[in-house]
Amino acid sequence: MLIRSFPAGAFGTNCYAVASGPGQECVVVDPGMDAVEPLARMLAQDGLKPVAVVLTHGHLDHTFSVLPVCDGYDIPAYLHPSDFAMLSDPARWHGPQLAPLITGVRLPDPSEVRALDDGAVLSLAGVELTVRHAPGHTQGSVMFSVDLGEAPGLLAGDVLFAGSVGRVDLPGGSWDAMLRSLRDVVLPLDDATVVLPGHGPATTIGRERATNPYLAEAAAGAGPEPSRRGL
């Protein structure tokens, strides 16, 4: 399995390309702000050809470049339907302080986006991605399980970070839902699972189980809301 990434834009959102190997087709995950040119350079380095964009959730720092990437490569985008409204009315879901970012952004019409269903297995570019619906950061937040060969992998979006979890203070966020997702979706995963988050460095489920205070609180059934990270 080949995974490449770079931090996109002012929010440092990790944009990933997942492929079976160099010179193959690939899946692009979360092309955020100012991602078009860096993505093209990254794909060219390994001779990768994108066949789809998959989105972990609908916040602009993860979706900002989805339309030019999809149009440029003539490929579809996938998103959980609970976050479709973020494409049609981004101002409502991102807060007034982000109005300058929203002005002029072009996002796909939700009718042109393919729906991600919990538990579905996407077979794309020789890669199988299992969809894990994990609301809390947004109503439609998902993670993708992928076999990395030597270990299981998890494209975690803004659900789980090294030492933290996603913010829940924007419209559509819910700390109660986040706790349930951490308890029911994250904690059952194997400790060897490599976590590839939406922001920051990679980690493992075992490391987070041992050190992440929010996972500990989820296991205990309660806890304080996380500090802000990402959009």
Side-chain angles (χ1 to χ4, degrees):
M1 188 67 62
L2 176 70
I3 296 186
R4 296 286 187 258
S5 68
F6 66 93
F11 290 91
T13 303
N14 291 327
C15 176
Y16 295 94
V18 184
S20 60
Q24 303 300 311
E25 294 180 334
C26 73
V27 179
V28 175
V29 183
D30 289 352
M33 296 175 61
D34 304 320
V36 175
E37 293 183 4
L39 175 62
R41 291 194 296 268
M42 184 178 74
L43 297 176
Q45 289 175 359
D46 289 294
L48 301 178
K49 179 183 177 183
V51 298
V53 168
V54 297
L55 301 167
T56 61
H57 63 288
H59 281 155
L60 273 179
D61 62 329
H62 292 252
T63 65
F64 194 93
S65 297
V66 62
L67 188 58
V69 168
C70 287
D71 285 352
Y73 296 100
D74 193 22
I75 58 177
Y78 292 77
L79 177 69
H80 193 279
S82 293
D83 277 5
F84 278 4
M86 293 187 180
L87 301 179
S88 57
D89 186 12
R92 175 186 173 192
W93 299 93
H94 291 82
Q97 71 273 26
L98 296 174
L101 175 64
I102 295 166
T103 301
V105 67
R106 294 176 59 244
L107 295 170
D109 188 288
S111 65
E112 300 171 354
V113 176
R114 300 181 184 181
L116 293 172
D117 296 319
D118 184 37
V121 178
L122 301 180
S123 295
L124 300 166
V127 175
E128 288 194 348
L129 300 173
T130 301
V131 180
R132 298 181 179 272
H133 186 211
H137 180 62
T138 69
Q139 296 170 353
S141 286
V142 301
M143 304 183 294
F144 300 100
S145 290
V146 59
D147 184 0
L148 300 180
E150 296 183 356
L154 183 72
L155 292 152
D158 285 5
V159 177
L160 179 66
F161 304 123
S164 190
V165 296
R167 63 188 292 182
V168 295
D169 61 319
L170 291 175
S174 166
W175 182 233
D176 288 341
M178 177 65 85
L179 282 174
R180 288 192 296 271
S181 292
L182 296 176
R183 182 192 66 208
D184 298 340
V185 184
V186 173
L187 283 170
L189 297 173
D190 191 283
D191 281 353
T193 302
V194 176
V195 179
L196 303 168
H199 302 268
T203 183
T204 66
I205 291 294
R207 184 179 302 135
E208 298 312 301
R209 194 189 308 276
T211 63
N212 191 316
Y214 301 109
L215 279 186
E217 295 292 351
E225 292 189 10
S227 58
R228 297 182 180 186
R229 192 167 187 182
L231 280 189

